[in-house]
Each structure stands twice: as C-alpha cells, then as structure tokens.
Amino acid sequence: MSDPLSELNPVTERRAIRVLRPDSPSEAVSLARRFKVPYMAGGTWLQPTHERDQCWPEKLVALNAAWPAFRGLEDDSRGLTVGALTSLSEMARHPLVREYLPPLALFLNRVAGPGVRALGTVGGNLAVGGDLSALAMALDVRVDVLNRTGERTLPLSRWLRERASDDLLRGFTIPDCRGWRISLEKLGYRERFSPTRATLVCVHDGDRVRLAVCGEGGLLRLVAPETFVNDRADLASGDVGAVIDRELAAHGWQDAHLRMALRRMTTGLLSEVALGT
Amino acid sequence: MELKPQPGMAETSVLERIEGRFGYATDQQHLPGLLHGAILRSRHAHARLLRVDTSRARLMSGVRAVVTAADVPGLNRLGIVVRDQPVLCEDRVRYEGDAIAAVAADTVEQARAALEVIDVDYAPLAVVDQAETAEQMSPLHGESNLLAREAFERGDTDAAFARCAVIVEHHYQTPRQMHAFMETEGGVAIPDNNGGVIFRVGCQSGHRDAEQLADILGLKPSQVTVEATPTGGAFGGKDELTIQPAAGILALQTGSPVLIHLDRFESCRTGIKRHPVSMIMTTGCDRQGRILAHRVDALLDTGAYASLGPAVLENFLDHATAPLYRIEAYSVSGRLVYTNNGVSGAFRGFGGNQATFAVESQLDALAEKLAMCPLALRRINLRTVDEPGSRGQVVRWSAPPTDVLAEAGASPLWAPAVSDARRRWLTGTGMAMGAQGNGLGDGLPDRGGGRVSLSAEGRIRLEFGFSDYGQNLAEAITCLVCETLGCVAGDIDVVLGNSRGPDSGPTSASRSSVLIHGVLADILPRWKDRVRDQAAVLTGLPCDQLYSGPGGLFAGGRQVLSYRELAEKGQPEQTRVDASQAFPVAPEGNQLVGRYLQLQIATVARVAVDRLTGRVRVTDLHHITAAGRVIYPPGYLGQIEGAAIMGLGMALSEDMPTRQGRYLADNLDQYIIPTLQDVPDQRVDVLDNTPTTDRFPVRGVGELGIEAVAPAICSAIEAATGIRVRHLPVDAGYLLAELCAQEETCS
Ligand SMILES: Cc1cc2nc3c(=O)[nH]c(=O)nc-3n(C[C@H](O)[C@H](O)[C@H](O)COP(=O)(O)OP(=O)(O)OC[C@H]3O[C@@H](n4cnc5c(N)ncnc54)[C@H](O)[C@@H]3O)c2cc1C
C-alpha cells in the first residue's frame, strides 16, 4: 500500500472489498468460516445495508448460481424444491409456482421493486426474514443447508433458531401443496415497493390451518391461534383475535395498532381459506 | 372544460427525463481537469466546534484541496433573505447537515476518503428539538429562538365569536415533507481563468445565486456566472444555495473545475424541507352558516437557519385568513422558531397548503355541527369576484368562486362507488377548495425580464432567467411565440437560466408564466416591427405587406425572405429587444398586501379505506381549476396532476420526523413517497372566464394543484368512515383504532 493512511479509512476499505469467488459450495463454506465474512447472493440486501451503516466488510464470498441445485425449481415426490439462488422474478414467472403456489406470482409484485427482484434471490430473502419467510414458515418448508460439518436437511424454523454464520443455504423444499388453500397479504406503507409492516400467510392443508407472520415484529409461526382455530369446526367463527394479539405481543410485536390490523387481516384470510377462494 | 392528455403530448425532453437519458449538470464528468468535491457534515445536531484538523486529509492521495471556514474568501454566510447560515461552520454547528469542511480530489472516492480523516472535536450542546419549547431554550441565534412572529387582524374577533351560534376548535398538524426530487443537488464550478467562476448547476435563480456567490467568493458580481442548467426537479428545494459555495471555493483554490453531487443520503440529511406546522384553529358561524369569526394560532418549525421561513410564515398566515371566504373578523397569528431539526424553507405551496388543510377542515366541521351540506356552507360564504381579498386588498379572480364550487358539486365522483363483495373497503367522496396568489407578494420587489433577438444563424432566440426543472417552460414559451409570430417551433431557440442573460427573478411563487406572458406581449410586437423594417429594406416590399410566419417573412401568402437570409444579409443584432416588468400587483394606492392575481381550485377526492387495516387508497381526484388561460396544455395538466401527487404524499405517507434533532429517515426506502401505483385517476377541468382583452389573462399553476388535496382526502375519509383526521400524514393505525372503537359502540 503506497498510502499509509488508507488502513484507517473505512471508505478506501470499501474500494478494497475483496469478492472471493470459490469454485464449489464447500470451498465457499470454508472461506466464509476462515475469514468470518458473509455470503453474497444478489447483493441487494448487503449493498444498501452497508451503504447506510457506512461499514463495509473486508471480503465477501460470492455464491454461484451455476453450482448444482442452487438455482431453479423442480418437483418430485417430496414436493417442490427451489434453489436458493433463484431470483425473485424468476420465481414469480415459473410455471411450477403457478401450479403449487398460485397466489404467489401476483404477491411477488409487492415484494420490493422490479430491479431488486431481478437480482435478489429467494435464499437471500429467507435469510433476511423477507416476505417469503412467512410463507415458507406456514408451509413448513425444509431447508437444505451446507456447513463445515457437511450437509443436512431440516425444518426452516429449526434452521433459523440454530443457524451458524457459515451455514450456506442451497435450497428449500415445499411439501406437495397442490390443492391446499393459501392466502397471503402484505401490509406496507404504500401500494408497491414498500417496506413490509407485516406479511401474513394463512394456509389450509385440507386438514389444518397454519398461520405465520413476518415484518416489523419478526418472523413468527402463530402457534396458539392455529390451535385455537383448528380446534373449532367453523374456521370463520370464534374470536381468534384475542389469541393472536396475545401471541404477537409476547413475541415482540409492540405496535398495538399493527397487532389490531393483523387480528383483522387474519380473520379476513381465514374466511378466504375457509371459503376456498 | 376537461383538459385531456393528447397522444404524443409528451415532449422529447420529458421522455428523456423519464428514461434517464437527459443530461444534467452533474453528468459533466468529462470536463478537462475535473476534480470531485465532497463536503464534511456535522455529526451532531448541535455542538460547539472545538477543533477542525485537516492535516491528515491533506496528505491523502489524490487530494488537491481541503478547505474550512478560514478559507472562505468573502462572506461566510448564505441565505436568500437572512444570511445566517455559515458556508462552512466556524465555531458551532446547528444541525446535522451543517457543512464544516470540503475537499477536492481526483476521484469522488478519494474526496470522501479524505473527509473521513478530518478530525473534528465537538462539544455537544443541548438540542432544541421541540418547536413548542424552543423559545425557552438557549438561543441558536441572537437573543431568542423566536425568529418571527406575525399577526393579521380584522375586526373585533372576540365580539364576533360572542355572536356565533356554533364554534369549532381543533388542533392540526402537518408533516415535515421532503421535496424528493429525482436529481439530487449538484453541479460544477469552473474557474474562468480570469479569477472568476462559472457555475453550471441545478438551481432556481441564476441571477440571485450569482450575487450571493460573488459575496461568498469575494469576487465582483461580474466575475460570477451561473448557468441554471435544467434540473431533475426542484420544487423549492433548490431555491437556496446548495453545493455552489463549496464547489466555488474549491475551484478557486485548485484552479480546476470541481463537481459536487450529493448522494441521496446527504441530500436527505442536508436538504431543506417543508415547514411542519402545529396550529389551533377556532372558527364560528351563525345559525345560517355565515362565518363570523376565525382565530388561528400557529407554530412553524424553521429549523436551524431562517432560509425563507419568514416569507413562508407570511404566506401561511395569508392562507390562514381563509382568502376564499368572507369572514367578518379574524385574528390570525403565527410564530416561527429556530430548532436543531434540520432546515425548513421553500416548498411548492409555500406554507399556504398547510393553512388550507386546516381552514377547509374547519369548514367541514362547522357544516357537520350545523347538519348542513359542506358545499352549501361554502356557497354562502364564498366571496364574489367584486369583493376585495381577505386582507382588504384588490384581487383579480379568473372565475367566480361559486362557479368553481358548482362544478365541484357536479363531479361524477359523488356517485356512490361500487363496493367490494366482502365490504372490506369503505368508500367515500369529499372535497375542498383552495385559493392561491401568484407572485412574491407583500410588497417584496418582484420584477422579471426577457429578451428576443434573431441569432446570427437566423433563429428566433428567446432568453429568460428562469430555470427549467421539468416544468417545460421552453415549450410554453415556444407555444406563445408561435402563436404571436406565426412561426413554427423549429424556428425558435429558447435559452433559460443564464445569469448573464436577462434577469427574470426567481423561478418560484408561480410567477414565471405570468411574467413570460407579460414580457412576450411587450417584446414580440417590437421585434416584429424591427424585423419587418429590415426585411422591407432587403426585399423592397412595403413594410405593411410583410408578416412573419413559418421559416421567415411572408407577403401575399408566400415567403419572401427566410430568417436565415435575414440574419445573413440584415443586421440581426439590431433586432434584439429587451424588456422587464413588475409582477402585476394591486393598482396604485392599494395596500401592498396579499397577492393580486388569484387562482382557485376545488379538488374532489374519492377514497377507499380498508376496514381491516385502516390504510387509505385514494382512487380518484377531480380538480376544477380557475387559473386563467391555458397557454400550454401539457404543462398545465402536468403541473396540476404533479402537485396533487405531492399533496397526496403529504396527506398519506410523507414525513421526516426527528429524534434529538436528527432525521429518522435517510433515504427513499424509509421516506415514503407515492409511486405510480399510489396515484389515483385524475381529471383536471379548466374554468376560465377571462376575457380576451384581459390585461393579465395568464396565471402560473406550479403550486395550485397541491392546495386542496390533503383536506379533500380527509373529507373523503370522513365520508367513508365518520372519522376526521387532523394530523398528517394520515396514520392508518389511528384510523383503524377509531374504526374498531366505532364498531364496538355500534355492536
Ligand atoms: C429497496 C429494497 C426494497 C425491498 N423490499 C422488500 C420487500 O418489500 N419485501 C421483502 O421481502 N424484501 C424486500 N427487500 C429485500 C429483498 O427481498 C432482499 O434484498 C433480497 O431478497 C435478498 O437477496 P439477495 O440475493 O440480494 O441477498 P444478499 O444481499 O446477497 O444477501 C442478504 C443476506 O443473506 C445472506 N445470504 C444470501 N444468500 C444466502 C444463502 N444462499 N445462504 C446463506 N446465506 C445467504 C447473505 O450472507 C446476507 O447476509 C427489499 C430490498 C431492497 C434493497
């Protein structure tokens, strides 16, 4: 370095960000571990976050969508498998999404804007607790994760609880949900391209109802309200509101007005899945 | 008459802007020897500056100059009216955007890197972040944080209140709105090799900026040239100097052109905002609904420096007198206080729309108390065209206010909306009116000039000092010139915003169209005569047979001389005609108060309110405008619709709250402006009864569209839900809580 002062300078550091380009997923894992640096998929989250904080990592481990099973959608007897490096817009247009998750294509219009969707990946979205995480949570998806100890498949909820910084998400599998009734709704500050205040997902698998929410208060499977609803014959009846409110309040959803909106949105979504619309 | 968009109406420059191809001042990256500048901003909202050490920054690679307060060659102050803001702070910072030092380097990265190693020691001071208590806090300037207090009175307000049958009193709050122009502040300062500087910059008044910059740079006015290049939006946010002083000082120090372009973070943090207003309004009327008394007590947070705050206060108060309505007695007062909450200043509407929001809400409240139709209440109180304005001044309307109201009453939006199957969305329609005066007003010096000439290439050249920030003034000028001279757009060159050209005054206060129309009416006939005289000599034809037309001069239906031939063979420099005129104000002898040329708007809004979440969708806006003759239909439509969308943002989502004097949003992912998906269907009607002989048939419509949007939306929300919102932006949570409370009492 010719300039002795540059080390002191976070801005020149930024120019010196080294993007490491591993040849394989396992090399990616060892690099992330060795240097304690994050993975980069589309970079749409990392870039504005670092720019805002004016704090840039020294290195990034770039993920490669060409690695086997990291990109694209495929279905088999286990259900629908989605590669983590599939972009949000690819997902929105994919025919299998229309088959398995009919409301999702339209819903994705409300996730970020076209530019972010073109670059941003579904894996990145799950990793940062984006709108897809509530859907994935309600669908009980299983994630496919690599790390230094090898690879494993586990429920999303468990991964999120136990996640290590070098965990590399290869993809996730949605159970065969064709014929399930899924409704989801996002509450933002404006019609499109809004930060998420809350995204609520309600799934009826033919037997039981599952509810999940993400947004300002964090990702949450609404277990108690689910039980409350599933124990009753008529989904649309009964005051599930109070149960939802308690559950949300207990898990960090502080804004009482937002909880009130979620109560009412839940009732709305429940009646949709109950009516099968 | 409904003004409809025509196919192909968008001009090329508009498409270029939309598609990001338009060249702005900040795109001039290839000037020889160009350096990049960056400005060090305060880390504190309020602090003493103990030490600013630039020694390490000077050693950084690529760095060509580092300047601080000590390097300001002339006056280290800026401000259009009150010069109270340091160009580079000496011993104290008063908001988090305050500039402390500036760097010029070979690249932007190097310049920003150098900022990081400028060592600044601060001693934090108590932050004045509440306008309500600002006057009790230790002063940011001079003796007190009260920058201005003003009151307008008429009649005996107490006595008038005593006679009222109904009185309503409410508190209103409006947000700190950001201009959110698409092109952030920027430009380039270029040394002219003679000790002077040329600025190419997005700004609102080249001439005025040149004067301030000469003082700051310690130069003679003749040594500073400002070319106000077309900008990507300004809306008042580029009225004050932005990057010019720092760029100019650095250009003088280095002898090289210096470009500074703020990124969005810096723009959010440092840029001027709309004044948040907190006000209590009390209004009373008799049993029949005639308004007798009106009282306003308002507090405006002007932030760390005065900027145009005092003028905003005056315009706010003018609008708070409810200029459309006949009111026997009023007492309207406001205080403008300094705080450490950024800086507030000029913004489309200029204080007026904040007042109108409350005034119109008050009228609805009175109507509700009297169980009277809000339109009927307005009808009996509206002024006639023969009456003076609310401050006793002579005013000039372009249509009777009751006609505007009648059109609003006939809007198709009053028909009930089709409701959704599940009855999730509650729909409602409401309206509000607004009036606005053109010009700087209140006796401020207000003149503007322009020039026409035939260029050496044979083009009809029109020059004005106004800036183009997307309102497409050039097209409006071209339309008017073609109409008068019979020529075609291809014959004309329009040159705007050069401080060496004619001084037109600032591009603000909806004044440009009025002055352009007035000046053209003066200079074009004179130019025509001069051109004809020369053509007569060249062609041998009698003067009175010659007339201008497409491409040249005509006689008996055929072109006898092209403009190019005229320029080549004649004396084009002799055709130059300059004129300047005073902005139309009330005739001699009248008090110099208020605005003379008045415009009106009635906005009808239809909204849908989500019963489940409280969120509001504005589905339709119908504007009935009475703003004189339409000289350039796409411009008129664009201004009304565009301003209305800004009003929509102010009503529903835009605010820049502060904590400890620091803005809580720093970019457009947190500061929520409407996107196309939030924009309702809009219809713009024009009501114009100005006779062709009228001396001032044209008005400026740059601000009119924003005037009545927020109260119309709130009135529609009330129609949909029974809930009146008086604090903006509308809080969906509040609305939802009220809806739930209503349901509980109903069930
Ligand atoms: C302006 C803007 C608006 C937005 N609006 C919305 C919105 O409305 N709704 C919404 O849900 N989201 C929104 N987002 C977030 C967006 O969905 C995410 O930025 C995007 O999905 C992240 O994907 P990426 O590939 O770009 O992730 P990156 O930015 O590359 O990475 C994000 C994080 O995830 C980690 N990561 C990424 N991929 C993997 C992987 N395979 N394994 C392990 N870790 C990984 C990275 O290490 C990093 O920590 C918005 C983002 C922006 C910039």
Side-chain angles (χ1 to χ4, degrees), chain A residues 9 52 185 190-191 264 277, chain B residues 113 424 611 666 673 743:
Chain A
N9 189 320
R52 167 162 287 133
E185 181 164 355
R190 63 181 163 208
E191 292 296 319
R264 293 161 75 94
T277 52
Chain B
R424 173 169 180 172
R611 229 169 19 81
D666 63 7
I673 58 172
E743 284 171 19

Side-chain angles (χ1 to χ4, degrees), chain B residues 266-287:
Chain B
E266 194 174 356
S267 173
C268 287
R269 202 166 141 203
T270 62
I272 276 172
K273 311 286 184 291
R274 184 190 292 289
H275 282 84
V277 183
S278 166
M279 59 196 132
I280 294 173
M281 251 187 213
T282 318
T283 314
C285 64
D286 65 15
R287 285 244 166 272

Side-chain angles (χ1 to χ4, degrees), chain A residues 38-46 48 63 84 88 110-112 116 120-121 123-125 127-128 130-131 167-169 186 193-194 196:
Chain A
Y39 299 117
M40 180 177 65
T44 61
W45 183 263
L46 288 171
L63 303 179
L88 291 164
R110 304 203 57 212
V111 178
V116 175
T121 62
N125 191 278
V128 302
D131 288 326
D167 276 357
L168 173 61
L169 181 68
K186 168 171 171 167
F193 204 29
S194 167
T196 308

Side-chain angles (χ1 to χ4, degrees), chain A residues 37-50 60-61 63 70 83-88 107-108 110-113 116-117 119-133 144-145 159 163-171 186 192-196 199 214, chain B residues 668-669:
Chain A
V37 292
Y39 299 117
M40 180 177 65
T44 61
W45 183 263
L46 288 171
Q47 190 268 337
T49 308
H50 294 313
L60 285 167
V61 179
L63 303 179
F70 267 86
L85 297 182
T86 309
S87 73
L88 291 164
F107 177 81
L108 279 168
R110 304 203 57 212
V111 178
V116 175
R117 290 198 296 270
L119 286 172
T121 62
V122 295
N125 191 278
L126 284 191
V128 302
D131 288 326
L132 288 185
S133 59
D144 179 10
V145 177
W159 179 55
R163 187 174 158 192
S165 64
D166 61 344
D167 276 357
L168 173 61
L169 181 68
R170 176 158 54 195
K186 168 171 171 167
R192 293 283 159 82
F193 204 29
S194 167
T196 308
T199 286
C214 66
Chain B
L668 295 178
D669 56 347

Side-chain angles (χ1 to χ4, degrees), chain B residues 315-465:
Chain B
N315 195 47
F316 166 84
L317 292 175
D318 183 272
H319 286 234
T321 62
L324 276 170
Y325 307 101
R326 204 180 300 117
I327 301 181
E328 196 183 296
Y330 61 67
S331 164
V332 168
S333 69
R335 285 173 303 140
L336 183 70
V337 293
Y338 285 120
T339 66
N340 297 115
N341 297 327
V343 182
S344 292
F347 195 139
R348 200 178 208 172
F350 210 70
N353 56 321
Q354 289 101 306
T356 299
F357 165 63
V359 164
E360 291 292 304
S361 304
Q362 287 289 94
L363 288 175
D364 286 354
L366 284 176
E368 148 121 56
K369 271 213 161 176
L370 288 165
M372 195 172 170
C373 161
L375 279 80
L377 180 95
R378 285 176 173 81
R379 192 175 311 115
I380 61 171
N381 288 294
L382 280 173
R383 289 174 187 280
T384 64
V385 284
D386 309 315
E387 288 176 67
S390 64
R391 292 160 70 193
Q393 83 279 29
V394 176
V395 289
R396 211 175 166 102
W397 303 100
S398 59
T402 45
D403 288 6
V404 176
L405 178 71
E407 297 260 323
S411 170
L413 297 185
W414 296 103
V418 194
S419 68
D420 61 316
R422 295 222 176 85
R423 298 214 16 89
R424 173 169 180 172
W425 295 90
L426 307 167
T427 57
T429 302
M431 67 84 67
M433 296 184 77
Q436 196 224 340
N438 280 173
L440 298 176
D442 262 25
L444 293 174
D446 195 350
R447 288 191 73 80
R451 173 182 302 156
V452 60
S453 57
L454 189 66
S455 73
E457 301 78 37
R459 321 252 316 149
I460 306 171
R461 187 180 161 97
L462 277 305
E463 291 171 75
F464 282 91

Side-chain angles (χ1 to χ4, degrees), chain B residues 180-216:
Chain B
F181 24 66
M182 60 181 175
E183 185 206 20
T184 50
E185 300 86 338
V188 52
I190 308 165
D192 68 2
N193 299 326
N194 255 326
V197 185
I198 301 162
F199 290 87
R200 287 195 195 128
V201 61
C203 67
Q204 296 187 222
S205 172
H207 290 80
R208 195 182 53 199
D209 290 359
E211 281 172 28
Q212 276 205 70
L213 287 165
D215 292 344
I216 291 167

